[in-house]
Amino acid sequence: MAISGIIRIMEKAARKAGQRLRRDFGEVEHLQVSRKGPADFVTKADRTSERTIYDELLAARPDWGFVLEEGGVIEGDPDKPRWVIDPLDGTSNFLHGIPHFAISIAAQERKLDGSGWGDVIAGLVYQPITDESFWAEKNRGAWQQDRRLRVSGRRRLDESLIATGIPFAGAGDPAEWTAIYNALASQVAGIRRFGAAALDLAWVAAGRYEGFWESGLKPWDTAAGCLLVREAGGFVTDWRGRSQPICDSQVLAGNDAIHSRLHKLVAEVLKA
């Protein structure tokens, strides 16, 4: 599979920012003795990563817009796509010295009628610690480096490993999450919460997880991951089964069989 120009641009930006994140991550453990030092340091690392990615992408596509976790929306040419960027997904892991975090970059095009934003046309999730790069392009499949990705072939819940994100510090809906968990936990092989939604979705695309659910996310958390799952043969919807270009406020992902079972379960529990 020949890597296209847009993926090369994303990969270059992610790897450049990832080098700095790896160096900064090595310093985190030395800051744990300070009460405010680690949080301040990680905030700076997050912003530095975002600036590095922004500068690289701006140089390559100067007329494209941006949706940035830290920097907000920056408008570009109204006829051009935009970048949707999370420079450090898994910030809490990074802060606590846990080597599970990622950079997420997606490119989203406008709708043909100009009424708003449409499909994500390319996405990349890069894990700096493991040096794993998961990428996808619309109608060209999903890949890990040069290996084609396919969602898991498991079709039974009792054989499936499901990932999730647990509500915390006012984010998410604890009652909703608990209801889904209570209905699902006894039926599956295991539930995992690793703390980086972009990687959770990349791992669904890679067949490491059979499914994923979470609510209360942001577009930069899931833009690349949604495309990865779909291009790997899976499905991503909200609780009602609606497939949007970027599912974030409600995310339900999996292969066809597991997604169908998860959707039915969630609908029954929440009367969606």
Side-chain angles (χ1 to χ4, degrees):
M1 176 68 175
I3 298 177
S4 69
I6 191 171
I7 295 297
R8 290 188 186 280
I9 290 167
M10 298 163 79
E11 181 100 17
K12 181 182 176 184
R15 288 185 176 276
K16 186 171 182 178
Q19 289 176 355
R20 178 61 184 266
L21 284 179
R22 279 195 298 271
R23 291 196 300 268
D24 288 345
F25 183 71
E27 296 297 319
V28 167
E29 63 180 329
H30 302 302
L31 296 169
Q32 296 299 329
V33 295
S34 166
R35 293 191 64 180
K36 75 172 186 175
D40 290 347
F41 181 82
V42 171
T43 298
K44 183 178 179 182
D46 200 325
R47 289 176 177 169
T48 299
S49 176
E50 184 170 278
R51 186 70 200 193
T52 299
I53 295 166
Y54 172 81
D55 288 344
E56 287 290 321
L57 298 180
L58 183 66
R61 295 289 188 271
D63 49 358
W64 289 24
F66 289 83
V67 179
L68 302 161
E69 181 182 16
E70 302 294 338
V73 176
I74 299 173
E75 299 292 345
D77 185 323
D79 295 322
K80 298 291 185 179
R82 67 179 181 179
W83 303 106
V84 184
I85 299 165
D86 190 340
L88 178 53
D89 182 49
T91 305
S92 293
N93 286 345
F94 190 99
L95 171 62
H96 288 272
I98 298 170
H100 188 80
F101 53 88
I103 292 166
S104 177
I105 306 173
Q108 185 180 24
E109 66 182 1
R110 287 193 179 274
K111 293 181 179 178
L112 292 176
D113 62 7
S115 62
W117 292 101
D119 288 343
V120 175
I121 55 174
L124 181 141
V125 175
Y126 177 61
Q127 217 293 30
I129 299 301
T130 61
D131 196 37
E132 291 179 302
S133 179
F134 304 89
W135 59 273
E137 277 192 270
K138 183 180 175 182
N139 300 324
R140 297 191 75 203
W143 305 76
Q144 181 187 348
Q145 267 91 345
D146 59 355
R147 181 176 67 87
R148 184 71 182 262
L149 296 180
R150 297 295 299 177
V151 291
S152 169
R154 293 187 177 92
R155 308 187 68 79
R156 293 165 51 102
L157 282 176
D158 60 6
E159 297 176 345
S160 296
L161 198 60
I162 308 297
T164 187
I166 301 173
F168 65 96
D173 185 331
E176 177 186 83
W177 184 88
T178 301
I180 296 172
Y181 174 85
N182 287 341
L184 185 60
S186 64
Q187 300 188 44
V188 299
I191 294 175
R192 298 290 183 268
R193 198 280 191 185
F194 279 6
L199 277 174
D200 286 337
L201 289 166
W203 285 15
V204 172
R208 299 177 185 179
Y209 294 138
E210 276 65 53
F212 170 78
W213 94 90
E214 188 169 357
S215 63
L217 293 168
K218 300 296 184 182
W220 48 80
D221 296 315
T222 64
C226 287
L227 182 66
L228 276 162
V229 173
R230 289 165 177 154
E231 288 294 322
F235 292 84
V236 188
T237 69
D238 63 12
W239 297 163
R240 293 179 181 270
R242 296 173 297 196
S243 179
Q244 299 150 343
I246 302 174
C247 293
D248 51 7
S249 59
Q250 298 173 347
V251 187
L252 195 64
N255 66 30
D256 60 342
I258 298 304
H259 180 274
S260 177
R261 286 167 172 77
L262 290 175
H263 176 234
K264 182 179 179 181
L265 181 148
V266 170
E268 290 174 351
V269 168
L270 304 179
K271 307 300 182 186

